[in-house]
Amino acid sequence: ASRVMVASRNYADFASEATFEIKKCDLHRLEEGPSTTAVMTREEGLHYYKTMQTIRRMELKSDQLYKQKIIRGFCHLYDGQEACCVGLEVAIKPTDHVITAYRAHGFTYARGVPVREILAELTGRKGGCVKGKGGSMHMYTKNFYGGNGIVGAQVPLGAGIALACKYFGKNEVCLTLYGDGAANQGQIFETYNMAALWKLPCVFICENNRYGMGTSVERAAASTDYYKRGDFIPGLRVDGMDVLCVREAAKFATEYCRAGKGPILMELQTYRYHGHSMSDPGISYRTREEIQEVRSKSDPITLLKDRMVNNNLASIEELKEIDVAVRKEIEEAAQFATTDPEPPLEELGNHIYFNEPPFEVRGPNQWIRYKSVS
């Protein structure tokens, strides 16, 4: 029935674009900030909606596969935070660089890795995006450097990537992400200092989802104004549940870096629906009512959906069709991820270096040797 309704309505009946008022960012050491109005075309809106819905469904499927013990080990899910990775990705260029912490599935998909390769990586299969060797926390693709498991350790690496951008004279930036739980790590402040001294094109981004593992930000940090933590580095505090807010702030931040002004810091105020990881039920340190309130008032997908329907950029039926197509894609990806073979043991030593001649790697004892191929 929905298909008939969409077909009977000419796409020319929809508006081609609409302008929205968005929340003003809080500013630190900046005279002007991002625009408080954002234009979104119908095409952009449909892309944002499908991408966020795909990430949401992929994470829910990951939850299911984990509970079935098909996905093992650490697994940190991103549902609730979809507006962050999607808003950032659409504001940058494919040649720009992204590095994040272990809650990485959404960024991996936004950077162009298909769902089937992400789920197959989670299940440790040969068809995974890193051949089943990385799992949940270590996924990579071109200009995306993971997925990093050591808290805060990716921040100095991000500054190093930004240094390479500057050194080679490329007009590129690096988005360097970390969570509120990592924001108190000493190496982050060391990195701020180096990035400011060398004017590196680095956008430091704190995804503040209000809880570092099971500890609320108020109990973990004397100051929860994470966007001011760079001190001498300018900062923005952004509504991380609104994809348009994130997009406009990211455009502003990357333009600032490209202008040669040095680093800038963004705090994205967001929320995770799952616990810290799959081993955390997520309700021992916060209430079910709190989670439900965020879902009902601030859900990034619902917010975008309402904007599109209310401004005649799409119909409810059209968005439902996208939902059906996304569910089908996720189910097919899950089927692949549970039937694809595991990588053979002889490939254990592969991919240590990029673009190097093959060499031998010692196995668990000195008599076992593996050949390492790039």
Side-chain angles (χ1 to χ4, degrees):
S2 64
R3 213 163 259 160
V4 173
M5 289 185 74
V6 173
S8 65
R9 184 172 176 184
N10 193 315
Y11 287 125
D13 296 339
F14 292 114
S16 60
E17 64 177 45
T19 303
F20 301 92
E21 293 293 319
I22 57 174
K23 187 177 176 182
K24 185 180 179 182
C25 296
D26 296 320
L27 305 180
H28 171 63
R29 294 179 73 105
L30 287 166
E31 291 181 8
E32 291 182 24
S35 174
T36 54
T37 60
V39 176
M40 180 174 69
T41 66
R42 167 179 153 78
E43 187 180 346
E44 286 172 341
L46 291 172
H47 172 64
Y48 303 165
Y49 181 83
K50 186 181 180 199
T51 307
M52 288 201 289
Q53 193 68 277
T54 302
I55 294 167
R56 174 72 55 88
R57 291 286 158 194
M58 177 176 73
E59 297 298 64
L60 295 178
K61 177 56 72 174
S62 300
D63 171 280
Q64 184 185 340
L65 293 172
Y66 194 94
K67 286 170 179 170
Q68 293 170 352
K69 298 189 176 179
I70 297 169
I71 293 173
R72 310 298 288 263
F74 292 103
C75 186
H76 305 82
L77 301 183
Y78 200 71
D79 47 320
Q81 299 184 212
E82 296 89 352
C84 297
C85 65
V86 175
L88 292 169
E89 182 60 38
V90 298
I92 62 174
K93 301 172 183 176
T95 50
D96 288 325
H97 308 268
V98 179
I99 187 168
T100 190
Y102 39 72
R103 204 175 304 280
H105 309 163
F107 284 97
T108 308
Y109 179 72
R111 287 259 88 182
V113 177
V115 176
R116 59 187 270 144
E117 290 186 23
I118 296 172
L119 290 182
E121 189 56 44
L122 284 165
T123 57
R125 308 304 171 108
K126 195 173 179 180
C129 56
V130 289
K131 315 294 185 191
K133 294 179 180 180
S136 175
M137 293 196 281
H138 304 286
M139 298 183 182
Y140 310 94
T141 189
K142 188 170 175 59
N143 298 332
F144 177 62
Y145 307 84
N148 292 268
I150 305 300
V151 176
Q154 73 281 2
V155 178
L157 299 180
I161 296 163
L163 174 61
C165 294
K166 184 171 183 175
Y167 184 83
F168 291 114
K170 297 178 177 179
N171 191 25
E172 297 168 0
V173 301
C174 182
L175 306 188
T176 301
L177 291 111
Y178 54 96
D180 53 275
N184 302 315
Q185 290 281 319
Q187 71 249 33
I188 292 180
F189 295 91
E190 295 176 33
T191 305
Y192 290 162
N193 186 57
M194 295 172 82
L197 281 172
W198 298 342
K199 290 195 180 304
L200 300 183
C202 190
V203 184
F204 295 107
I205 303 169
C206 176
E207 286 186 290
N208 176 8
N209 61 26
R210 292 167 49 179
Y211 297 94
M213 293 190 74
T215 308
S216 68
V217 291
E218 292 81 12
R219 291 182 61 213
S223 168
T224 58
D225 290 335
Y226 296 104
Y227 71 110
K228 295 180 180 177
R229 290 284 195 93
D231 187 10
F232 36 79
I233 297 175
L236 307 162
R237 183 157 59 190
V238 185
D239 182 356
M241 302 300 272
D242 181 348
V243 69
L244 294 182
C245 269
V246 177
R247 185 191 75 179
E248 294 306 306
K251 282 181 180 177
F252 176 89
T254 52
E255 284 168 12
Y256 180 95
C257 285
R258 286 190 221 280
K261 296 177 182 177
I264 191 167
L265 204 159
M266 284 172 60
E267 176 190 343
L268 303 181
Q269 293 190 309
T270 185
Y271 197 83
R272 54 172 165 81
Y273 293 159
H274 267 84
H276 170 72
S277 70
M278 282 301 296
S279 59
D280 166 23
I283 50 171
S284 58
Y285 50 85
R286 59 181 185 176
T287 62
R288 293 181 191 274
E289 289 74 26
E290 177 185 303
I291 302 166
Q292 193 51 47
E293 185 179 10
V294 176
R295 280 183 177 275
S296 61
K297 293 182 179 177
S298 307
D299 185 79
I301 297 175
T302 304
L303 176 63
L304 177 64
K305 180 181 181 178
D306 291 347
R307 275 178 169 160
M308 293 183 71
V309 172
N310 295 340
N311 289 272
N312 196 34
L313 291 174
S315 66
I316 291 280
E317 295 76 26
E318 185 178 17
L319 297 178
K320 279 182 181 173
E321 285 213 340
I322 291 174
D323 295 348
V324 170
V326 165
R327 281 196 183 92
K328 184 172 183 288
E329 180 188 359
I330 300 298
E331 288 304 322
E332 288 173 355
Q335 180 66 23
F336 172 74
T338 52
T339 56
D340 192 52
E342 292 182 359
L345 192 60
E346 56 267 22
E347 291 185 9
L348 186 64
N350 287 355
H351 313 120
I352 294 173
Y353 294 109
F354 171 70
N355 207 19
E356 288 283 325
F359 62 97
E360 280 195 336
V361 179
R362 198 180 83 174
N365 66 55
Q366 60 183 324
W367 296 283
I368 297 177
R369 300 275 173 170
Y370 295 110
K371 181 174 271 192
S372 182
V373 180
S374 293

